[in-house]
Amino acid sequence: MKKILSSLAALLSFLYVAGQNDATLTIQQNNTGATISRHIYGHFSEHLGRCIYDGFWVDEKLPVKKKDRIRLDVVEALKKIQIPNLRWPGGCFADEYHWRDGIGPRDQRPKMVNTNWGGVTEDNSFGTHEFLELCSLLGCEPYISGNVGSGTVEEMNKWVEYLNFNGESPMTKMRKQNGREEPWNVHFWGVGNESWGCGGNMTAARYADEYRRYAVFAKNYPGAALKKIACGASSDDYKWTETEMQNIPLNQMWGLSLHYYTVPRNWQKKGSATAFDEQEYFTTMKKCLYMEELVSRHSAIMDHYDPQKRVALAVDEWGIWTDVEPGTNPGFLYQQNSLRDALVAASTLNIFNNHCDRVRLANLAQTVNVLQALILTDKEKMLLTPTYYVFDLFKAHQDAKLLPILLNSPEYSMGDEKIPSVNASASVDSNNVIHVTLVNLDPHRTINVSTQISNLSWKTVDGQVLTAAKYTAVNTFEAPHTVQPAKFNGAKKNGNNLNVSLPPQSVVLLEMKN
């Protein structure tokens, strides 16, 4: 009898564990018409550390392919992931940047001290014309952040005119003298940055008044209607969002921003980018998933004042922020990039995709050599980080129609805390190709995902997977291919449904075609 009971207990234990390892996913047709804007996949390049200087803009003697001083291997890598927009010149830097210092003959441009990031002196050799040439090479839209903190209404007004007016005026004459005949027609325009902090330490009410004033003088010109983005909240400052939505007319702003960084420990001691245990890994993932609550609650406030969702929620700074790499300038924010960071990026993009009715622009911080960078460089060497490959996989969602999902996931536990092991998003493109992105945050268990696909026909499934033996795995200049996508064979068609065996600590892209 004891032997029978022991066997029964073992069987029940097995069934319990098996059940824990199962997830169910239902993919439905989209009746809302929501589209995943490609601009959710935007990036951010501030005058900070080695992002602009020694990242995009290099010494003319560096032995790499260049146009002028723009590094072309970096450009080609970003074109491959279809970068849709690039935010510049900041960040905190934007509110001390005076655009006239960055135009005209480079040897006559005044030098400036970057007081926010390392106290270094910049020569302003990379300015408006250089940035817009970079965007042209990338094939992306520029997103310019204007100076509200230390600038003037007149200064921003003239910058917009310099960029976008095609008639006869002092600004267009100056632009032509500086070598640009036609206007650039820049649409995305940020009115200040972090005005609650480094952009002026304003109250929400004070900023709303300033925004309305600046917005009046940031003019629309033929072919260049501005998509003005107001400075929104930091993290969970819901009162800021409420105040801006109450006090700024909806027809004066295209978007309202939100900034949130995933910090593994705390702002005083953020934690290492490469040396962390499972407890810190778990905490990081829990903080990453907090983006779901932030987007939901800020969107709910916006819905109250804007039920038609005319104003976008623009999450134009997000990503993981760790301590800098040992031996590097602490003001340059140079950090390595591990599989953990790729899982953060993929989970965040899934959240944005599923909220694409309100989230219509986002910018990862930052593109090259700073924070959660896509690309790291060392003189002539260049490598692609695990986060880069997430954007390569997820580009399939750009401008595709969202397919709403219902997901029931097992839990990943650490002590008394729990988070969902699996997150996902799905879309169908203009060729009726279905794409599903799945993330398994559990570093130990393969999760079996039983997927029901309603009223959508498909015949074949292909996939790619991004994973590694350890969540601390990184790409280095000595071993640049440690973490990169591989073919995924763990998805099997079952009638019109799909069974997926999702490896531990992995990102999977599935593509289903007729």
Side-chain angles (χ1 to χ4, degrees), residues 62-80:
L62 189 71
V64 296
K65 288 185 179 180
K66 301 178 290 293
K67 182 173 183 184
D68 194 356
R69 289 170 56 187
I70 296 172
R71 183 168 180 159
L72 293 181
D73 55 353
V74 170
V75 167
E76 290 305 313
L78 294 174
K79 285 175 66 177
K80 183 176 183 294

Side-chain angles (χ1 to χ4, degrees), residues 250-315:
L250 299 183
N251 63 4
Q252 281 195 1
M253 60 177 169
W254 179 87
L256 181 66
S257 72
L258 170 66
H259 289 182
Y260 174 69
Y261 287 95
T262 297
V263 178
R265 295 184 187 176
N266 56 66
W267 283 104
Q268 288 69 45
K269 180 64 177 175
K270 301 177 184 70
S272 170
T274 56
F276 51 88
D277 60 15
E278 187 176 354
Q279 177 63 64
E280 192 161 316
Y281 167 82
F282 177 91
T283 301
T284 303
M285 292 305 153
K286 184 178 181 181
K287 290 183 174 182
C288 160
L289 295 179
Y290 183 52
M291 183 67 84
E292 172 71 35
E293 179 178 333
L294 291 173
V295 168
S296 296
R297 292 186 63 180
H298 284 289
S299 294
I301 295 167
M302 296 175 76
D303 287 347
H304 178 74
Y305 297 94
D306 176 30
Q308 295 178 325
K309 301 182 187 294
R310 289 176 288 174
V311 179
L313 181 60
V315 191

Side-chain angles (χ1 to χ4, degrees), residues 383-485:
L383 67 81
L384 307 176
T385 69
T387 295
Y388 172 91
Y389 291 114
V390 168
F391 278 82
D392 195 23
L393 296 177
F394 275 62
K395 70 186 180 187
H397 289 303
Q398 290 190 18
D399 286 338
K401 193 174 182 181
L402 176 72
L403 294 174
I405 63 170
L406 293 174
L407 176 63
N408 182 21
S409 169
E411 293 175 327
Y412 168 35
S413 302
M414 180 65 62
D416 295 331
E417 296 185 299
K418 299 176 181 179
I419 60 174
S421 297
V422 179
N423 61 78
S425 64
S427 66
V428 58
D429 68 18
S430 58
N431 296 314
N432 291 318
V433 178
I434 301 167
H435 291 100
V436 182
T437 44
L438 295 152
V439 181
N440 182 2
L441 298 179
D442 193 313
H444 307 295
R445 296 184 298 167
T446 296
I447 306 291
N448 300 310
V449 184
S450 177
T451 305
Q452 181 180 353
I453 303 173
S454 302
N455 301 318
L456 294 162
S457 62
W458 58 282
K459 294 179 180 177
T460 64
V461 57
D462 291 304
Q464 296 182 71
V465 60
L466 183 70
T467 189
K470 298 179 179 180
Y471 43 64
T472 54
V474 299
N475 294 333
T476 67
F477 294 107
E478 294 73 30
H481 306 300
T482 301
V483 186
Q484 62 181 14

Side-chain angles (χ1 to χ4, degrees), residues 30-41 254 292 295-296 299 303 308-315 348-362 397-405 424-428:
N30 182 355
N31 296 318
T32 68
T35 296
I36 300 171
S37 171
R38 69 186 185 278
H39 290 295
I40 286 173
Y41 291 84
W254 179 87
E292 172 71 35
V295 168
S296 296
S299 294
D303 287 347
Q308 295 178 325
K309 301 182 187 294
R310 289 176 288 174
V311 179
L313 181 60
V315 191
T348 304
L349 291 172
N350 276 336
I351 292 169
F352 292 162
N353 288 348
N354 290 323
H355 288 273
C356 67
D357 60 338
R358 182 65 80 177
V359 178
R360 298 197 287 276
L361 180 141
H397 289 303
Q398 290 190 18
D399 286 338
K401 193 174 182 181
L402 176 72
L403 294 174
I405 63 170
S425 64
S427 66
V428 58

Side-chain angles (χ1 to χ4, degrees), residues 121-136:
T121 299
E122 298 198 10
D123 64 4
N124 275 314
S125 60
F126 189 92
T128 296
H129 288 251
E130 291 78 16
F131 170 67
L132 292 168
E133 175 63 15
L134 170 62
C135 290
S136 177

Side-chain angles (χ1 to χ4, degrees), residues 23 118 151 186 202 248 301 324:
V186 174
M202 302 179 199
I248 299 175
I301 295 167
V324 302

Side-chain angles (χ1 to χ4, degrees), residues 466-506:
L466 183 70
T467 189
K470 298 179 179 180
Y471 43 64
T472 54
V474 299
N475 294 333
T476 67
F477 294 107
E478 294 73 30
H481 306 300
T482 301
V483 186
Q484 62 181 14
K487 184 173 176 57
F488 179 66
N489 297 311
K492 305 297 180 185
K493 192 173 181 5
N494 179 17
N496 199 46
N497 296 331
L498 182 68
N499 294 325
V500 183
S501 182
L502 198 58
Q505 56 193 30
S506 68

